[in-house]
Amino acid sequence: MKAIVVDDDQQMHWQSVETPKPGADEVLIKVHAAGVNRADLMQRQGLYPPPPGESSIMGLECAGEIVEAGKNVSRWQAGDRVCALMAGGGYAEYAVVDAGSLARVPDSCGYVEAGSLPEVFATAWLNLFIEAGLKSGEKVVIHAGASGVGTAAIQLCRNFGNPCFVTAGSEDKVETCISLGAEGGSNRHDDNSLEKVREFAGDKGVDVILDPVGGAYLGDNLELLGIGGRLVLIGLMGGSKTEINLARLMIKRARVIGSTLRARPLQEKARVMADLAQYVWPLIEASKIRPIIHATLAIENAADAHDLLASNETVGKVVMTVG
């Protein structure tokens, strides 16, 4: 098969590699589409290696059809249309995935749309509803609201009864987020951006903040949280070190939750994918949630796909087609 291979100069090449073989609890997927994520950009730079034992090929999600199922796999069979959450291997013609990390392709989606779903909706669902324990009616702030995870989180909040406010990098992005269901938003480049978030928080503060920025936002995030609020850190785009007022954390009985998805045990990923299939996929099929795709490129143009995502000009996902 062919796959994207990264050389010592961080250049990507679509070249022949050995086709993987599924284990007893795995399936082999013929990949039709693969989503692009910031973790891929980091892995390409040598900053985010795959967990031990996982494929060295980039790609944390894909969509395609099963061509072979392992001997212990009974739920899936050859020919099934699936999308997959994976620790690596998506940038290829074929990929091996644990059977628990699969979900069927929603009936209303083609492979490109399905390839945009697993990573961002799994991340948003895991961190809002499992890690933060978000309840209906609670208020949410979503930083980087126009990102893939952000656009997924906005739509989940809208459908599960949670008013949300976003920060984003431009007025156009804020408007897009509002069109997806955010109650309001602020351009992070504006001088009054934080004041707009404070207005949304009100005197009681917000219940949950989903933040891929990290250090640069931590102090402001703690100010915005209400009593019992939860801050979930899912990225460090704004740095990994900062100083905070621990008294504020204690007085508010707030929680700061660090979270990653890629290296979690398979049983935890299986729970998230099962939740998506049960609670989110029906909303996609009912057109209440939709995949947000900024651009689709052929996998042979993976370098262009990475450049596009790195530009910070995208809204939603960048997806690559295979074959």
Side-chain angles (χ1 to χ4, degrees):
M1 72 171 189
K2 286 188 174 181
I4 291 292
V5 176
V6 180
D7 66 21
D8 292 340
D9 295 322
Q10 300 180 15
Q11 300 301 306
M12 293 186 287
H13 307 277
W14 181 240
Q15 65 184 53
S16 295
V17 299
E18 185 176 355
T19 303
K21 298 183 182 300
D25 300 310
E26 298 173 325
V27 303
L28 179 67
I29 299 174
K30 179 177 176 58
V31 178
H32 291 289
V36 181
N37 294 279
R38 288 193 177 273
D40 304 333
L41 278 62
M42 294 173 61
Q43 180 173 333
R44 179 185 173 190
Q45 298 169 34
L47 302 175
Y48 192 30
E54 299 293 346
S55 173
S56 61
I57 296 169
M58 291 180 292
L60 302 182
E61 60 188 339
C62 73
E65 63 180 287
I66 295 175
V67 295
E68 183 181 349
K71 65 179 182 180
N72 294 340
V73 178
S74 58
R75 181 183 175 190
W76 306 104
Q77 59 188 1
D80 286 346
R81 299 171 70 241
V82 294
C83 53
L85 183 69
M86 52 214 305
Y91 286 21
E93 290 182 312
Y94 293 90
V96 163
V97 185
D98 182 81
S101 297
L102 303 175
R104 64 181 177 83
V105 173
D107 293 339
S108 60
C109 293
Y111 285 123
V112 169
E113 291 83 6
S116 76
L117 297 175
E119 179 71 16
V120 294
F121 276 96
T123 298
W125 181 270
L126 165 69
N127 292 299
L128 289 174
F129 295 99
I130 297 176
E131 291 288 1
L134 184 64
K135 301 295 189 295
S136 180
E138 291 189 316
K139 297 171 73 172
V140 181
V141 168
I142 301 167
H143 293 302
S147 66
V149 172
T151 55
I154 292 165
Q155 295 185 85
L156 291 177
C157 286
R158 183 190 70 211
N159 280 276
F160 288 92
N162 299 102
C164 71
F165 187 97
V166 302
T167 64
S170 71
E171 293 297 334
D172 287 344
K173 287 185 176 183
V174 169
E175 289 303 317
T176 297
C177 292
I178 292 173
S179 74
L180 292 173
E183 287 205 355
S186 64
N187 180 347
R188 60 184 172 85
H189 298 295
D190 288 350
D191 293 338
N192 64 343
S193 177
L194 181 59
E195 189 55 42
K196 290 182 178 179
V197 189
R198 288 193 184 107
E199 290 176 7
F200 172 78
D203 293 338
K204 292 184 177 181
V206 299
D207 300 288
V208 173
I209 299 175
L210 188 62
D211 179 31
V213 177
Y217 283 9
L218 188 56
D220 291 338
N221 283 336
L222 294 181
E223 176 190 334
L224 294 167
L225 286 177
I227 301 298
R230 292 86 75 197
L231 165 63
V232 188
L233 293 172
I234 60 171
L236 298 170
M237 295 172 63
S240 61
K241 296 182 179 181
T242 189
E243 292 186 1
I244 62 171
N245 183 342
L246 291 175
R248 178 176 290 164
L249 195 67
M250 296 169 65
I251 290 168
K252 292 188 174 185
R253 303 191 297 278
R255 284 179 282 159
V256 178
I257 303 166
S259 179
T260 61
L261 177 59
R262 186 181 194 181
R264 284 178 183 260
L266 290 174
Q267 60 267 30
E268 293 186 23
K269 294 182 179 180
R271 176 194 172 181
V272 176
M273 293 302 284
D275 280 357
L276 293 182
Q278 180 176 355
Y279 300 112
V280 180
W281 270 213
L283 296 171
I284 294 174
E285 290 166 348
S287 299
K288 294 181 178 179
I289 288 178
R290 60 187 176 91
I292 307 300
I293 299 174
H294 184 92
T296 304
L297 295 84
I299 198 166
E300 292 88 346
N301 299 320
D304 294 334
H306 277 214
D307 289 346
L308 181 58
L309 186 59
S311 73
N312 294 324
E313 297 299 321
T314 57
V315 173
K317 293 287 295 186
V318 175
V319 179
M320 299 186 298
T321 57
V322 183

